[in-house]
Amino acid sequence: MSETSASHSIGPVPRPPTPPASVPPREPEPPELAVLPPEAPEPLRPEPPVGESRPVVREIIKISDPERMKALAHPARMAVFDHLALRRTQGHDGATATEIAEVAGMTPSAMSYHLRTLAKAGFIEEAPSRGDARERLWRLGIHSFSISADPDASESDRAIERTMGEAFREQQDRSYRRWMEGRFDVDPKLREASMTQQGHLRLTQEEAAEFSRRYQELEQEYVDRTIERIDQGTDAEDGTVVFHVLFRFFPRI
């Protein structure tokens, strides 16, 4: 599983578009949440000191440590990560514990435990202050990551990876359910620009690899646009909407 600024994938994740079995609507949220391949991870780069801004980079961090996986495998902590990813995509860098607690439906004191757990695992970090020294801001510490147990991992470690996959699936299902329930309340042009597609493709291994590559190239083009807009900050007049991206493509077994 891989993740971009709030995206994630467990094992190979793609899903194929096909003919008859299409179901419009699609789903809004961050294109930054693009599914990435769980390979070619890059090392973490040195973090600038708190108070300095840093560019948004698309480096893929491979996470195979089961303890680190478990740090994210909690509904409240996944809500934190998802909210901070959304904030990042919208051009805001960070949120307070109080703001995050409201999203997760918890008290700030209860949320502080989850924030510390995520920070210790490297998923989030302290962000520059907005000016009030008493106010502590948190932002994403990782923008793109993949979660994948090592090939020789024990069954218990593989079970943790499966648990993570299920947790992300449930989160994605909740997002899709909100879209299905509220899609008639948005601008019709947004509904027309959205879709969900499902079907079967009969491909050779080479064709499947090409399909994945071409999808990733297209996705990368729009992720780059998103990152440019993140660097530019918020602009209520730029006509953009945050879309949720979920792509699954895998062999039927």
Side-chain angles (χ1 to χ4, degrees):
M1 139 184 144
S2 97
E3 160 114 8
T4 303
S5 209
S7 122
H8 28 266
S9 93
I10 294 205
V13 171
R15 172 200 82 203
T18 336
S22 335
V23 183
R26 295 179 209 148
E27 42 233 68
E29 249 172 275
E32 203 191 34
L33 277 179
V35 178
L36 306 173
E39 56 232 6
E42 298 178 26
L44 284 168
R45 300 181 184 177
E47 299 292 344
V50 173
E52 292 185 17
S53 61
R54 66 174 187 181
V56 177
V57 292
R58 183 187 167 98
E59 52 188 357
I60 306 171
I61 310 302
K62 180 179 178 180
I63 298 174
S64 56
D65 177 4
E67 293 304 313
R68 202 173 179 196
M69 290 185 203
K70 287 191 286 188
L72 190 58
H74 185 287
R77 295 196 280 271
M78 292 188 71
V80 170
F81 192 90
D82 189 54
H83 178 63
L84 291 178
L86 176 60
R87 294 274 298 170
R88 165 66 81 181
T89 308
Q90 292 171 330
H92 306 287
D93 197 14
T96 66
T98 300
E99 293 166 347
I100 297 169
E102 289 177 1
V103 173
M106 304 178 71
T107 65
S109 58
M111 175 53 65
S112 63
Y113 166 76
H114 296 295
L115 291 172
R116 289 195 302 271
T117 301
L118 286 170
K120 184 177 179 181
F123 287 106
I124 66 172
E125 65 187 13
E126 194 171 346
S129 170
R130 295 171 182 161
D132 184 348
R134 298 169 301 175
E135 189 178 56
R136 193 176 188 186
L137 291 180
W138 296 94
R139 67 182 178 189
L140 295 182
I142 293 180
H143 298 280
S144 298
F145 67 89
S146 69
I147 288 182
S148 178
D150 290 329
D152 58 350
S154 66
E155 180 54 36
S156 60
D157 287 355
R158 292 181 183 184
I160 293 172
E161 185 198 81
R162 289 194 294 271
T163 298
M164 287 299 302
E166 183 63 18
F168 279 116
R169 186 195 63 76
E170 290 175 355
Q171 182 190 52
Q172 293 156 358
D173 286 348
R174 287 193 295 271
S175 295
Y176 184 67
R177 198 156 45 239
R178 285 196 302 271
W179 163 243
M180 292 298 289
E181 292 170 354
R183 67 190 186 281
F184 291 111
D185 299 327
V186 305
D187 187 324
K189 290 182 179 179
L190 280 180
R191 291 203 304 275
E192 292 171 8
S194 302
M195 83 170 181
T196 298
Q197 194 163 357
Q198 177 179 317
H200 296 88
L201 297 176
R202 184 176 173 180
L203 307 174
T204 64
Q205 292 184 21
E206 292 75 17
E207 289 167 340
E210 179 189 19
F211 184 95
S212 296
R213 177 185 57 77
R214 291 175 64 183
Y215 168 79
Q216 290 168 38
E217 288 173 352
L218 177 64
E219 181 235 26
Q220 181 67 60
E221 176 186 340
Y222 289 93
V223 169
D224 289 344
R225 293 188 193 183
T226 296
I227 291 175
E228 287 176 11
R229 288 171 177 146
I230 289 171
D231 287 338
Q232 293 164 5
T234 58
D235 180 357
E237 304 301 321
D238 68 1
T240 61
V241 174
V242 175
F243 276 78
H244 179 80
V245 177
L246 171 63
F247 179 74
R248 291 173 176 162
F249 176 61
F250 52 91
R252 182 161 181 168
I253 56 177

